[in-house]
DNA sequence: TATATTGTCTACTTATTTGATAGAATTTAT
DNA sequence: ATAAATTCTATCAAATAAGTAGACAATATA
């Protein structure tokens, strides 16, 4: 909804909640998190609400996934954005899993980065025809 | 270790635990789950232990991931092996996320299916040179 | 400036999952 | 018979997920 409404003013939490069938209070928290991550902005008071700051084509599924679910990698030791050293594994260079898990991360990362809010909206448009 | 030992008899939980730095009791449960899923087989008593049933090339990361972590898809409504209908979403056909999420699932699924125990072993071999 | 409207923030709840731990029971080779 | 293994069931503590609740702050406008 925020994507479809891009550049067209404020959307009320109440309206999004109703239309998308999400508990209002729950949605508020999600929107707040999106605001802190600078994907959306908001205004309080009468005539306020939320709107998308970034262009739909500049918000990827990877971005949103990282915000709410964290690392795309299956193990922290091959994560780009959430790297952590393994506890069990003694040395990363010698680990036989490491390089293959990087390939898997790349498979997931690439497709999740290519897919954006814009992708969803384009798809939506095609359906409507 | 089970992969490297393929076709060469039984491995003791005790030895795997020690070498791979995994609590023995925890490893036991993992091996048991692998047995129930028919990836490994075991024998009790003296001279017993665990061994891989399937060929290393026939066990993919996708297989193991599904066993321990469940669906590869980001949302159940596009999952091949763990399909569930959305609660929120009214009709799947009209959902603008659906087809794009299938593409994402395919990106992840393909790379996870291509990577097998054999891939890790080959990598291991190369390293040793 | 009072008021209704709307977002902000913090705390809490309930259920599930994760990463184990513990111990008794069972099987098997010798 | 016995020692060595796996098998099974129960339990636990900590973290996470999904959502609820309510006080608080900002803002337009009448």
């Amino acid at each position: 909804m925020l994507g479809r409404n891009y550049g067209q003013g404020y959307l009320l939490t109440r309206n999004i909640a109703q239309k998308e069938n999400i508990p209002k209070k729950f949605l508020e928290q999600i929107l707040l998190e999106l605001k802190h991550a600078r994907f959306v902005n908001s205004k309080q008071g009468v005539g306020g609400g939320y709107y998308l700051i970034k262009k739909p084509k500049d918000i990827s599924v990877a971005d949103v996934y990282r915000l709410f679910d964290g690392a795309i990698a299956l193990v922290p030791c091959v994560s780009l954005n959430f790297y952590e050293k393994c506890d069990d594994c003694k040395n990363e260079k010698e680990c036989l899993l490491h390089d293959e898990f990087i390939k898997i991360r790349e498979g997931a990362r690439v497709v999740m980065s290519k897919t954006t809010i814009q992708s969803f909206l384009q798809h939506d448009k095609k359906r409507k025809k």
Side-chain angles (χ1 to χ4, degrees), chain A residues 46-113:
Chain A
V46 180
Y50 285 93
Y51 64 95
L52 216 53
I53 296 178
K54 299 173 83 171
K55 289 179 191 163
K57 77 172 179 57
D58 292 333
I59 303 177
S60 72
V61 172
D63 296 330
V64 179
Y65 186 88
R66 289 200 184 98
L67 179 60
F68 290 106
D69 295 272
I72 288 169
L74 296 185
V75 284
C77 64
V78 300
S79 172
L80 291 173
N81 294 266
F82 298 86
Y83 176 84
E84 271 179 67
K85 207 179 158 305
C86 289
D87 310 331
D88 307 336
C89 182
K90 272 150 200 175
N91 56 341
E92 212 164 84
K93 291 275 157 114
E94 295 295 319
C95 174
L96 72 165
L97 307 172
H98 194 264
D99 288 8
E100 295 296 321
F101 272 151
I102 285 180
K103 287 187 201 163
I104 292 174
R105 180 206 70 201
E106 280 306 289
R109 196 188 62 74
V110 164
V111 66
M112 286 174 77
S113 298

Side-chain angles (χ1 to χ4, degrees), chain A residues 15-32:
Chain A
N15 293 345
I16 301 174
Q18 191 184 22
K19 205 128 187 176
E20 300 295 339
N21 204 25
I22 309 167
K24 181 166 173 287
K25 274 293 187 184
F26 185 38
L27 177 62
E28 277 176 17
Q29 289 197 110
I30 293 167
L31 288 169
L32 208 52

